[in-house]
Amino acid sequence: MSLNSFFASLLPKEDKFFPKFKMMSSKMVEGADLFTEFVATDDHDRRVALYTKIKTIETECDHIVVDIYDAAGDSFVIPFDREDVHQLCGDMDDVMDYINDASKRILLYNPKQMPEKAIHMSEVILECVKAIDAVCGELQTMTKQPAMAREQAAKLHDLEHEGDDVYDNFVKELFESDIDAKELIKEKEIMQSMESATDMANHVGKTLMIIIAKYA
């Protein structure tokens, strides 16, 4: 047993963090699911309606982050180091921020057509968020039974590589095409923002592994 785990076992547990993390991850799944629909549709009015919902979820996640930070500051005993609590919810919030950013770029730039690989990338993002949500449902027992968290962290790593491959192939095809320069910039920035969401999801997995290494 690590020194952190020993002292943590002697103190009463603050379990109010775990429902907040799960609430946030569930909202992220909802947002990512809406995003896949957003990317797949070419109806502008439908996109506006979906973006409004995605933005609302992103704002709700921001509020949950503040709640978690406040709880970490007000509590004498917390489940992990405060810096790890901050890092985990901050990384999760960044994933939702990039989903919102990609949605906003699509709405503002209004490309003539969405890149074919955008749908694939949106599906990768959704799988990333589902993996995060699965771990958040097990946070309370994660350090004692870390197998599932490690499995999901490995999945996030693989999904990030899949996202990288989708983006790299997109860029290769983009610059081999005769697409208008303005449209090229629009599509590249949209896909770049989506790829950043998968990168940040992998950061969540790395943070989880750090927490397990400290407390398992």
Side-chain angles (χ1 to χ4, degrees), residues 69-121:
Y69 285 171
D70 288 345
D74 294 340
S75 302
F76 177 68
V77 181
I78 58 176
F80 315 125
D81 287 346
R82 282 179 174 79
E83 65 183 32
D84 294 327
V85 170
H86 288 187
Q87 188 68 52
L88 181 57
C89 68
D91 289 347
M92 289 170 60
D93 188 46
D94 285 342
V95 175
M96 192 63 227
D97 286 344
Y98 278 119
I99 292 172
N100 180 71
D101 181 71
S103 305
K104 182 168 63 176
R105 287 173 188 263
I106 293 169
L107 202 59
L108 292 176
Y109 296 170
N110 193 26
K112 291 180 180 178
Q113 65 178 40
M114 285 295 296
E116 290 183 8
K117 288 184 168 54
I119 292 177
H120 186 173
M121 187 71 89

Side-chain angles (χ1 to χ4, degrees), residues 45-198:
D45 291 339
R46 182 62 183 151
R47 279 183 179 167
V48 171
L50 288 168
Y51 174 71
T52 300
K53 293 180 180 179
I54 292 169
K55 178 61 181 175
T56 297
I57 291 170
E58 187 267 338
T59 301
E60 290 171 346
C61 286
D62 287 342
H63 292 160
I64 296 172
V65 169
V66 172
D67 287 345
I68 294 173
Y69 285 171
D70 288 345
D74 294 340
S75 302
F76 177 68
V77 181
I78 58 176
F80 315 125
D81 287 346
R82 282 179 174 79
E83 65 183 32
D84 294 327
V85 170
H86 288 187
Q87 188 68 52
L88 181 57
C89 68
D91 289 347
M92 289 170 60
D93 188 46
D94 285 342
V95 175
M96 192 63 227
D97 286 344
Y98 278 119
I99 292 172
N100 180 71
D101 181 71
S103 305
K104 182 168 63 176
R105 287 173 188 263
I106 293 169
L107 202 59
L108 292 176
Y109 296 170
N110 193 26
K112 291 180 180 178
Q113 65 178 40
M114 285 295 296
E116 290 183 8
K117 288 184 168 54
I119 292 177
H120 186 173
M121 187 71 89
S122 71
E123 292 169 349
V124 172
I125 292 170
L126 179 58
E127 289 305 307
C128 285
V129 174
K130 285 181 177 179
I132 293 169
D133 185 52
V135 177
C136 285
E138 303 290 333
L139 277 182
Q140 195 159 5
T141 57
M142 180 181 73
T143 56
K144 294 180 180 178
Q145 298 172 319
M148 192 275 279
R150 286 179 174 144
E151 179 183 343
Q152 296 304 318
K155 183 177 181 179
L156 286 167
H157 179 75
D158 292 342
L159 286 167
E160 186 213 7
H161 280 292
E162 183 177 350
D164 288 343
D165 289 343
V166 173
Y167 179 74
D168 290 344
N169 288 328
F170 157 76
V171 171
K172 179 178 181 293
E173 293 173 6
L174 186 66
F175 284 101
E176 289 176 349
S177 70
D178 57 358
I179 188 173
D180 175 79
K182 289 182 180 180
E183 291 299 310
L184 183 150
I185 293 170
K186 289 179 184 179
E187 291 188 14
K188 188 172 185 298
E189 289 197 6
I190 289 166
M191 289 291 288
Q192 197 167 42
S193 189
M194 294 172 72
E195 192 263 345
S196 294
T198 65

